[in-house]
Amino acid sequence: MPPGSPISNRFGREVLEIAARYVAPIIWGDPTSAEDDSILGNGSIFFIECGGPVLGVTCDHVIAGWLRAKSARPDIKCQVFTLPIDPESRVLARDSDLDLATLAFTAE
C-alpha cells in the first residue's frame, strides 16, 4: 500500500473489508465458450435491505453495457456471483445523469 493511501491503515483496511461483504460481481458473456473472450462485460453491484424488497444498486453504465451486449448477442447470459439473472427485467429505476440503477431482488 502506498503511504497515505486511504486503506494503508487498520481503519481503512477494515472499511474495505466490510464493503467487500456487500459488493458482488455482475458479469455477462457466453458461459458455453471455452475461449478467453467468454466474458463480454462486468461491473459490481451491492445490496440494500431496509424492511422491503432487497435492492441491488449498480451504475447505470453497467446496465447500459449489458443492454448493448444483449442487443448484439441475444444468446449471452448474465449472473451475479453464480445466480443467473436478466438485469433488464429487474430494473426498478435508472438515472444516467447520476449513473445509478436499482434492481429488484429477493432475499433468497
Side-chain angles (χ1 to χ4, degrees):
M1 231 37 72
S5 168
I7 58 171
S8 64
N9 62 28
R10 183 170 175 236
F11 176 78
R13 288 189 302 274
E14 184 69 22
V15 169
L16 184 62
E17 194 173 300
I18 289 169
R21 292 183 207 148
Y22 298 94
V23 176
I26 179 170
I27 60 171
W28 54 90
D30 180 358
T32 64
S33 174
E35 302 300 318
D36 289 341
D37 65 350
S38 62
I39 295 177
L40 302 173
N42 66 79
S44 60
I45 188 168
F46 67 91
F47 301 93
I48 300 173
E49 186 175 12
C50 300
V54 176
L55 300 178
V57 181
T58 188
C59 293
D60 183 67
H61 73 262
V62 171
I63 300 302
W66 157 255
L67 293 172
R68 281 191 305 276
K70 183 73 174 170
S71 175
R73 300 231 355 229
D75 60 323
I76 65 171
K77 306 294 183 208
C78 183
Q79 63 191 59
V80 172
F81 281 121
T82 59
L83 174 69
I85 68 164
D86 172 15
E88 187 174 15
S89 70
R90 294 177 179 264
V91 170
L92 297 172
R94 292 178 60 192
D95 188 308
S96 59
D97 291 335
L98 295 175
D99 197 20
L100 284 175
T102 54
L103 288 72
F105 284 86
T106 61
E108 292 80 33

